[in-house]
Amino acid sequence: MEERNKTLGEFIIENQKAFQYSSGELSRIINSIRLAAKVVNYKVNKAGLVDIIGAAGEQNIQGEDQQKLDVYANEVFIQTLINREIVCGIASEENDDFITVQGSDNCHNNKYVILMDPLDGSSNIDVNVSVGTIFSVFRRITPIGTPVTSEDFLQPGVNQVAAGYVIYGTSTMLVYTTGHGVNGFTLNPAIGTFYLSHPNMKFPESGNIYSVNEGNYVHFPQGVKNYIKYCQREEEDRPYTSRYIGSLVADFHRNMIKGGIYLYPTSSKAPKGKLRLLYECNPMAFIAEQAGGKATDGFGRIMEIQPTELHERVPFFCGSRKMVEKAEQFMAES
């Protein structure tokens, strides 16, 4: 079969033996995410026609206003994963604490936990800009048969067995890795099937796009300010192009295809950064490294950070390897 005619289901079956732990559960997790993504995609695409845009009137654990679609996407992904009895625990950016999942036999025999940002960039929904879902999968470290604990979720990113994102844009794509490269699948909405459209995705070694919220420039560390000025200078292949969407998934996806760097540093307004290590940075770092890119906090590898809390925030520099290394150089010199 021609590679690009391959469906996500066929790809999962063919590559199941490549998973680190080949028991079929990881395949079922990806399949569950595929199903939930199709449900959320349907709602996203008709958001302007039904009463599902705007704020829900609640705040999440981070004190951010929850959008109606945030709440909806969170419920869809959680219920899909619980109903299929494949994971033993779920942590979501939208929930205060993790959820313990037990099977219909009241046992805790499943081996994986999943962490997710169910609708990244949801504040962009009202203005018809791309949003996404981000997920990260770990093998539990507490004994099978016991309820999960925070220890199962507070693992460094190097322990991830799978990570991915769904981008709901002009087309809907599911991009994921299980540690053997990165592959992207595009949804054919006419028949509800994801097809392999972007096999073996790779970050260009360098690029000419930098993505950062320059409105916060005055609050950034000096090293970041110096790097931004470097990007803007008329030298060699610069100035670079500034492109910032405000949806991490959309900015990351564009930079992986075209070549670029995404920066969300610390600032005087957000001294620890704004992005969450477990729900956003770790999964995106895993994808970036598997695609030949790099992800750091400005000084060290994101995936080697030992988390201490579920909603921990970290600065995030991610993208084409040479561009991230140059940004690190400016951070080290400042």
Side-chain angles (χ1 to χ4, degrees):
M1 178 182 295
E2 187 183 335
E3 193 80 346
R4 289 178 185 272
N5 290 333
K6 197 172 288 177
T7 68
L8 174 56
E10 289 163 344
F11 183 88
I12 288 171
I13 290 166
E14 280 184 24
N15 290 275
Q16 188 159 302
K17 289 197 171 109
F19 297 152
Q20 189 177 356
Y21 306 100
S22 180
S23 59
E25 285 160 296
L26 198 49
S27 303
R28 287 162 57 210
I29 291 172
I30 302 295
N31 273 320
S32 293
I33 289 165
R34 171 180 64 174
L35 174 61
K38 286 198 282 190
V39 175
V40 171
N41 175 67
Y42 176 71
K43 277 287 195 227
V44 167
N45 283 334
K46 68 172 198 174
L49 300 174
V50 297
D51 185 28
I52 201 160
I53 58 174
E58 302 289 331
Q59 289 190 329
N60 64 15
I61 183 65
Q62 284 89 23
E64 299 164 337
D65 290 334
Q66 284 184 309
Q67 304 296 309
K68 291 176 186 173
L69 264 172
D70 274 326
V71 177
Y72 177 80
N74 194 42
E75 289 172 356
V76 167
F77 275 94
I78 288 172
Q79 283 309 313
T80 303
L81 290 160
I82 289 175
N83 291 346
R84 274 151 190 76
E85 299 185 9
I86 355 174
V87 294
C88 52
I90 302 168
S92 167
E93 183 179 301
E94 299 301 326
N95 291 28
D96 295 11
D97 207 351
F98 62 84
I99 298 166
T100 300
V101 182
Q102 60 186 36
S104 52
D105 54 2
N106 294 325
C107 293
H108 301 268
N109 291 330
N110 291 322
K111 303 183 186 74
Y112 296 100
V113 296
I114 189 164
L115 302 96
M116 63 181 181
D117 180 353
L119 206 65
D120 169 71
S122 56
S123 59
N124 281 323
I125 277 283
D126 294 11
V127 291
N128 214 10
V129 170
S130 298
V131 293
T133 297
I134 307 171
F135 63 92
S136 170
V137 182
F138 288 86
R139 191 173 168 89
R140 67 180 299 174
I141 51 180
T142 52
I144 290 173
T146 62
V148 289
T149 71
S150 59
E151 188 184 358
D152 294 304
F153 297 93
L154 298 179
Q155 299 187 55
V158 288
N159 291 355
Q160 289 174 103
V161 294
Y165 61 83
V166 184
I167 181 166
Y168 311 100
T170 49
S171 61
T172 295
M173 278 187 70
L174 191 159
V175 176
Y176 81 99
T177 181
T178 56
H180 302 277
V182 179
N183 291 279
F185 300 81
T186 300
L187 178 66
N188 179 342
I191 55 175
T193 302
F194 282 96
Y195 285 93
L196 179 60
S197 55
H198 293 67
N200 195 26
M201 298 178 79
K202 292 287 183 190
F203 266 97
E205 202 172 38
S206 193
N208 65 352
I209 295 171
Y210 70 102
S211 310
V212 63
N213 184 353
E214 289 186 70
N216 288 329
Y217 179 87
V218 69
H219 303 288
F220 288 154
Q222 191 59 46
V224 175
K225 290 179 179 176
N226 293 344
Y227 179 69
I228 290 172
K229 288 302 177 195
Y230 165 84
C231 293
Q232 295 170 340
R233 276 203 294 270
E234 287 193 76
E235 293 174 357
E236 300 166 339
D237 59 341
R238 289 168 281 128
Y240 294 152
T241 302
S242 175
R243 291 283 183 271
Y244 185 72
I245 297 168
S247 293
L248 170 60
V249 164
D251 281 308
F252 179 97
H253 186 73
R254 180 204 53 242
N255 289 353
M256 181 159 60
I257 290 171
K258 293 182 176 291
I261 183 172
Y262 176 92
L263 306 96
Y264 211 117
T266 58
S267 68
S268 53
K269 292 199 300 183
K272 293 183 178 177
K274 187 183 175 191
L275 298 181
R276 287 78 180 178
L277 174 60
L278 296 178
Y279 311 114
E280 296 164 314
C281 302
N282 265 341
M284 289 312 214
F286 190 20
I287 296 165
E289 290 190 10
Q290 284 295 313
K294 189 169 185 179
T296 80
D297 63 359
F299 301 97
R301 187 181 177 203
I302 284 288
M303 293 213 296
E304 290 179 356
I305 297 173
Q306 174 61 54
T308 56
E309 55 184 277
L310 275 179
H311 298 284
E312 185 171 342
R313 299 173 192 255
V314 292
F316 193 53
F317 298 69
C318 180
S320 296
R321 184 179 54 80
K322 286 188 175 178
M323 298 181 81
V324 175
E325 286 171 353
K326 178 59 76 172
E328 285 184 303
Q329 184 182 322
F330 277 97
M331 292 296 288
E333 290 170 356
S334 65

